[in-house]
Amino acid sequence: MLTRQVHAVCTHDCPDSCGVLVTVDELSGRAVKVQGDPAHPVTRGFLCGKVARYLERVYSPERLLYPMKRKAGVPKGPLVKGREAEAFERITWDEALELIAAKLKKTAEEFGSESVLPYSYAGTIGQLGFGSMDRRFFHRMGASQLDRTICASAGGAALKQVYGVKLGTAPQDFAHAGLVIVWGGNVHGNNIHLWPFIEEARRSGARLVVIDPYRTRTAALADEHWAIRPGTDPLLALAMMHVIFRDKLEDAGYMRECTVGGEELREFALREEHSPARAAEICGISAEAIERVAREYARCGREGRKAAAIRLNYGIQRSENGGTAARAVCMLPLITGSWKKRGGGVLLSTSGSFPFEQERLQMPELMKKSPLKRAARMVNMNELGIALTELDGPPVKALFVYNCNAAAVAPDSERVLKGLRREDLFTVVHEQFFTDTTDYADVVLPATTFLEHKELMGAYGHLYAQVSLKAIEPLGEARMNVWVFGELGKRMFPGEPEFEDGTEELIAQALDTKHAWFTDVTKARLEREGHVALQLPANDRGEVLPFSTHEWFQTPSGRGELTPVPKFVAPVESRTGAGASDGRFPLEMLARKADNYMNTTFANLPGHQQMERKLAGVLEMHELDAAARGILNGDAVTVWNERGKIALTAQLSDKVGAGVVSARLDWQKLSADGTNVNALTSQRLTDIGGGATFYSTLVQVSK
């Protein structure tokens, strides 16, 4: 068999952004193998279990391959898996594009352009697929803008408030740490390429502490697991600060040079309400452990010791106080000065390190050419249920969903589905499979996988720019969203040059920057080498140590900002919050992501389902909570609150503490009762960044 090998990049929503080698049969044009690129300095030749089976997704017999429209008289609503096509009829791309353009134009004329709402997130995190021609199109229309906050906005806003930029410790540098704290993250589930560097540090004597209310695979492998109570992370961080300041373990010189607000934070953290003893009562972690690890953390990096690194992940910020929690943890290395030594600091996201010309790609100035002649209103994506059922002035009359399974992932899904059922709502879905969302579509458009188009990539977990080359021709009539929105733009705004750009032009525009960090990042070099390192400033020893000196900070003060101080306020939906006062919903529920899916991506594939079989349809409960309700292992249970209810099977588990239950996200149509965990989650937003509060959810469980 004559084959060729093509360099690609996994564009799914993961910090690792793996280099991928695709082997293609020259005769058939079919991809026959995907493997990790051994030349990539971070992902180093291996793939996660999800993407190792990627050809099962690409060549699945369930792939959407042709444009379709809903048959007349077929109501919107859940469709039987495997028979969804019966509700639709095949049409050509020309017919689909003409239908969509005509309907959007009529909707905008009748109700105003803001009655059109795009809804997308990170089905791809490629620069082009995530946000380029789609934004141009909706900006030019004057459609409502979408505040894309469902995953990372609270933590991202927190990081920028403290440091001014989303940048952190390079994953390779974790190998040089003397202590690693993983806070609110499951490295084994969704950041697997960091694990070898952590293990390298442990072989050299480092300890691993995991802080997570659920005993993940990562927590089970740690030296210590702190099963923190959901939503109490700000108080734990303040208790660690209390110990550091009380015992005078802070790096006073570094704080003077590189921070502002240090004295105010010191005074605040030293209050008795932030003592380890009080934190122990509320967080569920012993005062002794807090004292011991806080001192260990502060002493790392001094007197010949290796530095301490924190891997902070987005689990911490999916609580009502998630922004404050992330801010508080991000302040810890500023107090101890752990940035000064390789292996120190904190890693939440590196996405702000890539100076792509995103405004050039997205062209927000086109809103001034729209009928509005101004910026359109902003709709928070976590409030989709409100947008589809209550929003007025104007109401949402057309919805365009892409890069997202909105019906499954948006919180308070009963309200979302109520809106999606509306007969007066025109819904277009660009997808690879029949999902929960396509069941409500008027028009379904087939989308490509990352093997079927070219893409430009940054990362939020490392510091290498990459290009993903097209490995195979699109299956059927699948098209990348750059093409879809470009074609719609040409139809609705003929002759306007913004919609003439294709993939090559957009990549060139994204890279057209003079930023020093992109000195070596050129289109030609990326295509030749696959990945290129960012050129971040190095010290006289050749080390890149972010925030080791004040020049790194991009805050208004030019320093790390320790004010306003991070105050702990219990989430409304928590055992210590106002929502628990009447006792109706005494259990805190973790609406977790599956380890072997990517949000809801891969959930329909048999191989991935097999990897997740032990937790499919399961509610994990502590034995004390089960006994109090007369529930035995394997019993059918109802989990409910004022927003909705779901049917699951009880599994007594030591992975959750007393008072906490856990169930994982899945497609609604794959469950016995046609619901998922988001029937229980709320549209309440985080304190910073307007993020989702999936982990601030109170429920009751009964047989």
mmCIF file of all heavy atoms in Angstrom, residues 669-696:
data_model
loop_
_atom_site.group_PDB
_atom_site.id
_atom_site.type_symbol
_atom_site.label_atom_id
_atom_site.label_comp_id
_atom_site.label_asym_id
_atom_site.label_seq_id
_atom_site.Cartn_x
_atom_site.Cartn_y
_atom_site.Cartn_z
ATOM 1 N N LYS A 669 -30.493 12.170 24.368
ATOM 2 C CA LYS A 669 -31.150 11.072 23.654
ATOM 3 C C LYS A 669 -30.528 9.705 23.971
ATOM 4 O O LYS A 669 -31.106 8.676 23.630
ATOM 5 C CB LYS A 669 -31.138 11.317 22.148
ATOM 6 C CG LYS A 669 -29.761 11.258 21.495
ATOM 7 C CD LYS A 669 -29.860 11.311 19.973
ATOM 8 C CE LYS A 669 -30.428 12.612 19.480
ATOM 9 N NZ LYS A 669 -30.548 12.657 18.014
ATOM 10 N N LEU A 670 -29.375 9.706 24.635
ATOM 11 C CA LEU A 670 -28.741 8.446 25.008
ATOM 12 C C LEU A 670 -29.148 7.977 26.397
ATOM 13 O O LEU A 670 -28.728 6.916 26.838
ATOM 14 C CB LEU A 670 -27.219 8.590 24.940
ATOM 15 C CG LEU A 670 -26.646 8.897 23.555
ATOM 16 C CD1 LEU A 670 -25.134 9.096 23.639
ATOM 17 C CD2 LEU A 670 -26.982 7.796 22.562
ATOM 18 N N SER A 671 -29.964 8.760 27.098
ATOM 19 C CA SER A 671 -30.393 8.385 28.439
ATOM 20 C C SER A 671 -31.778 7.753 28.394
ATOM 21 O O SER A 671 -32.540 7.936 27.441
ATOM 22 C CB SER A 671 -30.423 9.613 29.354
ATOM 23 O OG SER A 671 -31.447 10.500 28.949
ATOM 24 N N ALA A 672 -32.098 7.043 29.451
ATOM 25 C CA ALA A 672 -33.369 6.318 29.488
ATOM 26 C C ALA A 672 -34.570 7.253 29.483
ATOM 27 O O ALA A 672 -35.610 6.935 28.892
ATOM 28 C CB ALA A 672 -33.402 5.425 30.731
ATOM 29 N N ASP A 673 -34.441 8.418 30.130
ATOM 30 C CA ASP A 673 -35.590 9.321 30.235
ATOM 31 C C ASP A 673 -35.457 10.561 29.356
ATOM 32 O O ASP A 673 -36.259 11.497 29.465
ATOM 33 C CB ASP A 673 -35.802 9.737 31.690
ATOM 34 C CG ASP A 673 -34.638 10.539 32.254
ATOM 35 O OD1 ASP A 673 -33.550 10.523 31.640
ATOM 36 O OD2 ASP A 673 -34.802 11.174 33.309
ATOM 37 N N GLY A 674 -34.432 10.601 28.481
ATOM 38 C CA GLY A 674 -34.291 11.723 27.551
ATOM 39 C C GLY A 674 -33.849 13.019 28.184
ATOM 40 O O GLY A 674 -34.105 14.098 27.644
ATOM 41 N N THR A 675 -33.158 12.940 29.324
ATOM 42 C CA THR A 675 -32.642 14.142 29.976
ATOM 43 C C THR A 675 -31.170 13.946 30.307
ATOM 44 O O THR A 675 -30.645 12.836 30.238
ATOM 45 C CB THR A 675 -33.394 14.445 31.287
ATOM 46 O OG1 THR A 675 -33.222 13.341 32.181
ATOM 47 C CG2 THR A 675 -34.869 14.673 31.039
ATOM 48 N N ASN A 676 -30.507 15.025 30.693
ATOM 49 C CA ASN A 676 -29.144 14.909 31.221
ATOM 50 C C ASN A 676 -28.971 15.855 32.395
ATOM 51 O O ASN A 676 -29.922 16.515 32.822
ATOM 52 C CB ASN A 676 -28.095 15.111 30.119
ATOM 53 C CG ASN A 676 -27.962 16.558 29.649
ATOM 54 O OD1 ASN A 676 -28.559 17.488 30.208
ATOM 55 N ND2 ASN A 676 -27.175 16.769 28.606
ATOM 56 N N VAL A 677 -27.757 15.941 32.909
ATOM 57 C CA VAL A 677 -27.519 16.689 34.154
ATOM 58 C C VAL A 677 -27.908 18.152 34.047
ATOM 59 O O VAL A 677 -28.190 18.797 35.068
ATOM 60 C CB VAL A 677 -26.047 16.573 34.596
ATOM 61 C CG1 VAL A 677 -25.726 15.166 35.054
ATOM 62 C CG2 VAL A 677 -25.097 17.020 33.479
ATOM 63 N N ASN A 678 -27.945 18.709 32.840
ATOM 64 C CA ASN A 678 -28.261 20.128 32.716
ATOM 65 C C ASN A 678 -29.736 20.444 32.899
ATOM 66 O O ASN A 678 -30.120 21.620 32.905
ATOM 67 C CB ASN A 678 -27.743 20.672 31.381
ATOM 68 C CG ASN A 678 -26.273 20.979 31.455
ATOM 69 O OD1 ASN A 678 -25.786 21.495 32.467
ATOM 70 N ND2 ASN A 678 -25.530 20.645 30.415
ATOM 71 N N ALA A 679 -30.562 19.415 33.094
ATOM 72 C CA ALA A 679 -31.925 19.674 33.548
ATOM 73 C C ALA A 679 -31.922 20.246 34.964
ATOM 74 O O ALA A 679 -32.899 20.858 35.402
ATOM 75 C CB ALA A 679 -32.753 18.393 33.499
ATOM 76 N N LEU A 680 -30.799 20.072 35.678
ATOM 77 C CA LEU A 680 -30.699 20.476 37.083
ATOM 78 C C LEU A 680 -29.873 21.736 37.293
ATOM 79 O O LEU A 680 -30.030 22.413 38.316
ATOM 80 C CB LEU A 680 -30.088 19.331 37.897
ATOM 81 C CG LEU A 680 -30.798 17.974 37.771
ATOM 82 C CD1 LEU A 680 -29.965 16.883 38.431
ATOM 83 C CD2 LEU A 680 -32.190 18.027 38.363
ATOM 84 N N THR A 681 -28.977 22.053 36.371
ATOM 85 C CA THR A 681 -28.086 23.209 36.545
ATOM 86 C C THR A 681 -28.837 24.507 36.246
ATOM 87 O O THR A 681 -29.862 24.511 35.576
ATOM 88 C CB THR A 681 -26.854 23.088 35.648
ATOM 89 O OG1 THR A 681 -27.273 22.965 34.271
ATOM 90 C CG2 THR A 681 -26.021 21.874 36.021
ATOM 91 N N SER A 682 -28.279 25.612 36.741
ATOM 92 C CA SER A 682 -28.983 26.897 36.639
ATOM 93 C C SER A 682 -28.302 27.829 35.646
ATOM 94 O O SER A 682 -27.164 27.615 35.229
ATOM 95 C CB SER A 682 -29.041 27.580 38.008
ATOM 96 O OG SER A 682 -27.816 28.231 38.309
ATOM 97 N N GLN A 683 -29.032 28.892 35.302
ATOM 98 C CA GLN A 683 -28.485 29.933 34.438
ATOM 99 C C GLN A 683 -27.832 31.057 35.243
ATOM 100 O O GLN A 683 -27.449 32.079 34.667
ATOM 101 C CB GLN A 683 -29.587 30.502 33.538
ATOM 102 C CG GLN A 683 -30.142 29.477 32.569
ATOM 103 C CD GLN A 683 -31.258 30.022 31.695
ATOM 104 O OE1 GLN A 683 -31.021 30.759 30.734
ATOM 105 N NE2 GLN A 683 -32.494 29.670 32.023
ATOM 106 N N ARG A 684 -27.675 30.854 36.545
ATOM 107 C CA ARG A 684 -26.968 31.837 37.367
ATOM 108 C C ARG A 684 -25.528 31.955 36.880
ATOM 109 O O ARG A 684 -24.911 30.975 36.479
ATOM 110 C CB ARG A 684 -27.008 31.395 38.839
ATOM 111 C CG ARG A 684 -26.533 32.463 39.807
ATOM 112 C CD ARG A 684 -26.645 31.982 41.246
ATOM 113 N NE ARG A 684 -28.030 31.964 41.701
ATOM 114 C CZ ARG A 684 -28.700 30.867 41.999
ATOM 115 N NH1 ARG A 684 -28.125 29.672 41.886
ATOM 116 N NH2 ARG A 684 -29.942 30.928 42.414
ATOM 117 N N LEU A 685 -24.962 33.160 36.920
ATOM 118 C CA LEU A 685 -23.632 33.416 36.380
ATOM 119 C C LEU A 685 -22.594 33.564 37.494
ATOM 120 O O LEU A 685 -22.919 33.884 38.637
ATOM 121 C CB LEU A 685 -23.643 34.686 35.519
ATOM 122 C CG LEU A 685 -24.637 34.698 34.359
ATOM 123 C CD1 LEU A 685 -24.573 36.028 33.621
ATOM 124 C CD2 LEU A 685 -24.395 33.544 33.398
ATOM 125 N N THR A 686 -21.331 33.359 37.135
ATOM 126 C CA THR A 686 -20.237 33.521 38.088
ATOM 127 C C THR A 686 -20.050 34.975 38.481
ATOM 128 O O THR A 686 -20.497 35.893 37.795
ATOM 129 C CB THR A 686 -18.920 33.000 37.500
ATOM 130 O OG1 THR A 686 -18.681 33.653 36.244
ATOM 131 C CG2 THR A 686 -18.974 31.505 37.272
ATOM 132 N N ASP A 687 -19.343 35.179 39.569
ATOM 133 C CA ASP A 687 -19.113 36.519 40.099
ATOM 134 C C ASP A 687 -18.265 37.378 39.178
ATOM 135 O O ASP A 687 -18.381 38.603 39.161
ATOM 136 C CB ASP A 687 -18.459 36.419 41.477
ATOM 137 C CG ASP A 687 -17.201 35.546 41.490
ATOM 138 O OD1 ASP A 687 -16.921 34.864 40.482
ATOM 139 O OD2 ASP A 687 -16.496 35.530 42.520
ATOM 140 N N ILE A 688 -17.385 36.757 38.400
ATOM 141 C CA ILE A 688 -16.515 37.462 37.454
ATOM 142 C C ILE A 688 -16.629 36.751 36.111
ATOM 143 O O ILE A 688 -16.644 35.524 36.050
ATOM 144 C CB ILE A 688 -15.041 37.431 37.916
ATOM 145 C CG1 ILE A 688 -14.877 38.120 39.265
ATOM 146 C CG2 ILE A 688 -14.111 38.083 36.883
ATOM 147 C CD1 ILE A 688 -13.491 37.941 39.881
ATOM 148 N N GLY A 689 -16.714 37.491 35.042
ATOM 149 C CA GLY A 689 -16.619 36.895 33.715
ATOM 150 C C GLY A 689 -17.888 36.304 33.137
ATOM 151 O O GLY A 689 -17.880 35.812 32.012
ATOM 152 N N GLY A 690 -18.991 36.312 33.891
ATOM 153 C CA GLY A 690 -20.246 35.816 33.344
ATOM 154 C C GLY A 690 -20.230 34.347 32.983
ATOM 155 O O GLY A 690 -20.895 33.926 32.033
ATOM 156 N N GLY A 691 -19.488 33.535 33.726
ATOM 157 C CA GLY A 691 -19.345 32.125 33.401
ATOM 158 C C GLY A 691 -20.480 31.265 33.918
ATOM 159 O O GLY A 691 -21.382 31.720 34.633
ATOM 160 N N ALA A 692 -20.428 29.985 33.553
ATOM 161 C CA ALA A 692 -21.440 29.021 33.978
ATOM 162 C C ALA A 692 -21.157 28.544 35.399
ATOM 163 O O ALA A 692 -20.007 28.486 35.832
ATOM 164 C CB ALA A 692 -21.461 27.831 33.025
ATOM 165 N N THR A 693 -22.211 28.166 36.117
ATOM 166 C CA THR A 693 -22.087 27.740 37.512
ATOM 167 C C THR A 693 -22.548 26.288 37.666
ATOM 168 O O THR A 693 -23.326 25.952 38.562
ATOM 169 C CB THR A 693 -22.898 28.663 38.436
ATOM 170 O OG1 THR A 693 -24.279 28.668 38.014
ATOM 171 C CG2 THR A 693 -22.368 30.085 38.376
ATOM 172 N N PHE A 694 -22.043 25.433 36.796
ATOM 173 C CA PHE A 694 -22.457 24.027 36.793
ATOM 174 C C PHE A 694 -22.243 23.342 38.141
ATOM 175 O O PHE A 694 -22.978 22.429 38.507
ATOM 176 C CB PHE A 694 -21.676 23.257 35.727
ATOM 177 C CG PHE A 694 -21.972 23.667 34.310
ATOM 178 C CD1 PHE A 694 -20.954 24.130 33.484
ATOM 179 C CD2 PHE A 694 -23.244 23.588 33.801
ATOM 180 C CE1 PHE A 694 -21.214 24.498 32.175
ATOM 181 C CE2 PHE A 694 -23.520 23.947 32.494
ATOM 182 C CZ PHE A 694 -22.505 24.409 31.676
ATOM 183 N N TYR A 695 -21.200 23.747 38.883
ATOM 184 C CA TYR A 695 -20.862 23.057 40.123
ATOM 185 C C TYR A 695 -21.488 23.713 41.351
ATOM 186 O O TYR A 695 -21.163 23.339 42.477
ATOM 187 C CB TYR A 695 -19.346 22.963 40.292
ATOM 188 C CG TYR A 695 -18.653 22.139 39.219
ATOM 189 C CD1 TYR A 695 -17.274 22.197 39.047
ATOM 190 C CD2 TYR A 695 -19.372 21.308 38.370
ATOM 191 C CE1 TYR A 695 -16.641 21.450 38.062
ATOM 192 C CE2 TYR A 695 -18.749 20.567 37.382
ATOM 193 C CZ TYR A 695 -17.384 20.641 37.233
ATOM 194 O OH TYR A 695 -16.760 19.897 36.248
ATOM 195 N N SER A 696 -22.367 24.675 41.149
ATOM 196 C CA SER A 696 -23.172 25.224 42.242
ATOM 197 C C SER A 696 -24.613 24.792 41.984
ATOM 198 O O SER A 696 -25.432 25.548 41.471
ATOM 199 C CB SER A 696 -23.062 26.748 42.295
ATOM 200 O OG SER A 696 -21.772 27.155 42.683
#
